[in-house]
C-alpha cells in the first residue's frame, strides 16, 4: 500500500492535499484496500459546511459501508462527480482521480494536527 509524501493524513484514513487556495480530500490507499471494491459513493453538496471530524460522505463496498470524516473544518467547494458513476476510481487511483471533495478550510492551523506521511505509515503498521 502506498503512502504519498507531501500529503496530510488523518487517523480515520483520509488524506489532504494543499492546493493554492483550497484543500483536496480523499481516502487513503490503505482505506480503499481495507474496504475492497467500492460500488457506491455518497458525497455532500457543494456549499455544505462541516466541522473537523464530521461525517461528510459514505463509501459502500462489497464488504462494508463506511462513513468518511472530514479532517479539517470548512466549506465544500466541489465534489468529484465522476465517482457517482465510477466509484471504482477510488480503488484504482485513491490519491488522484479518486479524490472526494475540495474544501475551503475554515482554519489552516488544523492541518498541523494531522499526520505526516511518515507518521501515517507508522500508524497503519500498528493497526
Amino acid at each position: 500500500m502506498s503512502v504519498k509524501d507531501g500529503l496530510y493524513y488523518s487517523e480515520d484514513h483520509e488524506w489532504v492535499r494543499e492546493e493554492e487556495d483550497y484543500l483536496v480530500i480523499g481516502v487513503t490507499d490503505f482505506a480503499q484496500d481495507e474496504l475492497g471494491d467500492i460500488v457506491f459513493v455518497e458525497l455532500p453538496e457543494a456549499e455544505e459546511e462541516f466541522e473537523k471530524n464530521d461525517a461528510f460522505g459514505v463509501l459502500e463496498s462489497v464488504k462494508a459501508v463506511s462513513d468518511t470524516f472530514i479532517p479539517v473544518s470548512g466549506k465544500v467547494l466541489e465534489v468529484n462527480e465522476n465517482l457517482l458513476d465510477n466509484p471504482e476510481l477510488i480503488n484504482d487511483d485513491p490519491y488522484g482521480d479518486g479524490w472526494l471533495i475540495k474544501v475551503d478550510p475554515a482554519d489552516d492551523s488544523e492541518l498541523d494536527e494531522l499526520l505526516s506521511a511518515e507518521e501515517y505509515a507508522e500508524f497503519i503498521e500498528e493497526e
Side-chain angles (χ1 to χ4, degrees):
M1 275 163 285
S2 70
V3 176
K4 292 233 183 234
D5 287 332
L7 302 178
Y8 298 93
Y9 294 88
S10 74
E11 291 185 358
D12 292 316
H13 307 289
E14 280 83 23
W15 57 261
V16 178
R17 181 176 67 235
E18 283 184 286
E19 296 291 340
E20 285 185 32
D21 54 353
Y22 61 90
L23 303 174
V24 181
I25 297 173
V27 295
T28 65
D29 190 33
F30 177 84
Q32 70 78 25
D33 187 63
E34 289 288 303
L35 281 169
D37 293 336
I38 296 172
V39 296
F40 176 78
V41 177
E42 183 181 311
L43 297 171
E45 298 290 323
E47 302 299 315
E48 278 191 68
E49 295 189 28
F50 293 92
E51 294 296 316
K52 180 179 178 177
N53 297 323
D54 283 352
F56 72 88
V58 175
L59 301 179
E60 186 176 326
S61 73
V62 294
K63 294 197 292 193
V65 175
S66 179
D67 288 332
T68 54
F69 299 95
I70 195 161
V72 294
S73 303
K75 179 170 69 172
V76 176
L77 299 172
E78 185 180 341
V79 300
N80 188 347
E81 301 276 344
N82 292 331
L83 298 179
L84 302 179
D85 292 327
N86 303 295
E88 68 277 1
L89 288 172
I90 296 169
N91 296 115
D92 296 341
D93 190 11
Y95 299 113
D97 291 338
W99 63 273
L100 301 177
I101 58 175
K102 294 180 181 177
V103 173
D104 180 17
D107 182 358
D108 288 335
S109 71
E110 288 179 340
L111 290 173
D112 298 334
E113 299 167 24
L114 298 174
L115 304 173
S116 68
E118 185 177 309
E119 291 167 331
Y120 181 71
E122 289 173 15
F123 174 75
I124 59 175
E125 263 182 40
E126 294 170 7
E127 282 223 333

